[in-house]
Amino acid sequence: MRTRLISFGILAALVIAAGFGVNQIKTNPKATVSAEIVQYATTSIRIGNQTFKVELALTLEQRALGLAERDSLADNAGMLFVFKPTKPMTFWMKDMRFGLDIIWITDGKIVDISRHLPVPKPGTKTEDLPTYSSGTAVDYVLEINAGQADKMKVGDRVEIVNSSHV
């Protein structure tokens, strides 16, 4: 019985410590989020005749990390940022290692495209990073490899193939 109580106490302490660590990431703007601890649900997106397998950035931690700290992204892959309710959004390329196209989406249609966004120069201060804005309220933002949006245009339909997570 005593061993069970000690084991339970240790388990409870670990759970409390883990919860405190996660809460610090959410509430401390100086806390960093590591790619190793962030998990993403996936789905597919269809735009015209192109299909992308995408990771879903649904939480604050997932959105904060995005595609940063990765060396590359597979062809026809991307990350879909989900915003409910819709709102104007601004993104940056902090800690990015490859160029992107950003597709701004509202009500299942492309409303703007930021094309061929370059990787920031090494040593660029956070406050000096360029920002990219939707210009209007959006409910989704899709990031894909630079150049993969070359055949897309404003007004194209965007279909989320399995929308159970979004």
Side-chain angles (χ1 to χ4, degrees):
M1 177 73 163
R2 181 177 163 92
T3 305
R4 287 176 105 182
L5 283 174
I6 292 171
S7 296
F8 179 74
I10 292 170
L11 179 62
L14 289 172
V15 168
I16 290 168
F20 177 76
V22 170
N23 192 43
Q24 288 302 304
I25 292 170
K26 291 180 184 176
T27 58
N28 183 352
K30 294 182 181 179
T32 58
V33 181
S34 170
E36 288 124 26
I37 63 169
V38 179
Q39 299 295 315
Y40 298 93
T42 60
T43 191
S44 294
I45 295 273
R46 211 172 297 140
I47 303 172
N49 62 358
Q50 292 180 285
T51 300
F52 298 90
K53 182 176 181 181
V54 297
E55 295 173 277
L56 299 172
L58 302 168
T59 69
L60 180 61
E61 291 82 11
Q62 292 168 335
R63 290 183 203 133
L65 183 60
L67 292 169
E69 300 180 8
R70 299 183 191 200
D71 292 324
S72 63
L73 184 63
D75 286 342
N76 300 314
M79 183 167 286
L80 184 67
F81 296 78
V82 180
F83 300 101
K84 305 291 182 187
T86 62
K87 55 186 152 191
M89 294 306 306
T90 300
F91 278 46
W92 61 3
M93 300 277 287
K94 186 176 189 311
D95 298 324
M96 286 299 300
R97 299 177 184 159
F98 56 93
L100 292 175
D101 289 339
I102 299 179
I103 296 111
W104 311 93
I105 303 164
T106 303
D107 295 327
K109 289 186 182 177
I110 296 175
V111 294
D112 200 5
I113 303 172
S114 300
R115 298 176 194 272
H116 298 274
L117 304 180
V119 174
K121 292 179 183 169
T124 303
K125 294 179 183 176
T126 300
E127 61 270 14
D128 294 334
L129 289 169
T131 58
Y132 307 95
S133 297
S134 60
T136 187
V138 294
D139 46 11
Y140 300 101
V141 176
L142 176 62
E143 291 183 342
I144 55 177
N145 283 312
Q148 289 195 304
D150 285 351
K151 295 180 182 177
M152 297 177 194
K153 63 186 181 315
V154 171
D156 282 355
R157 295 271 326 136
V158 177
E159 178 187 358
I160 300 172
V161 177
N162 176 2
S163 60
S164 63
H165 295 291
V166 295

